[in-house]
Amino acid sequence: MAREVARIESSSLPLGDVMMVEIPENEDKLTALVLRTNTGVYGWLNACPHDGRSLCQDPVYLLNRKTGLIQCMHHQATFDPESGVCDDGPCVGGKLREVKTIEKDGQIAVLL
């Protein structure tokens, strides 16, 4: 069963923004990335499927502003922000690990 690791005010995540969320009691010190697109709120583990390193250190630089795709800072692999599928780079066909998000009553719950 998924457990809630964070709760975010919906108003703090406008369209096109990304937020980095700490995951408590996490041995690997990974974070979750929560972003809002035209179709909803999505969550991904901040880890590249290519080598496991963080996609970004600062969520401001996660989305490529020209393409709208998630881009890994280490080797520039790109991922669809809604499906998490890699479409370019060394992990083509791979997928980011989803972090469940539920938006309800003005809040976003982040679940693992």
Side-chain angles (χ1 to χ4, degrees), residues 3-83:
R3 69 180 171 102
E4 185 175 312
V5 296
R7 188 165 287 267
I8 303 166
E9 292 292 325
S10 293
S11 61
S12 69
L13 188 66
L15 181 64
D17 270 13
V18 181
M19 199 176 255
M20 191 178 293
V21 177
E22 297 294 323
I23 300 172
E25 301 167 21
N26 174 5
E27 292 177 9
D28 298 325
K29 305 224 185 298
L30 293 173
T31 57
L33 299 165
V34 180
L35 57 117
R36 184 183 299 281
T37 71
N38 288 323
T39 61
V41 176
Y42 299 87
W44 306 107
L45 193 63
N46 187 10
C48 183
H50 171 241
D51 64 7
R53 289 188 286 176
S54 294
L55 293 164
C56 69
Q57 299 298 324
D58 184 340
V60 169
Y61 303 109
L62 180 70
L63 291 179
N64 181 310
R65 298 298 174 187
K66 289 181 182 175
T67 65
L69 298 173
I70 293 172
Q71 188 165 18
C72 179
M73 71 177 185
H74 297 290
H75 55 274
Q76 285 65 54
T78 56
F79 304 85
D80 180 271
E82 296 172 358
S83 70

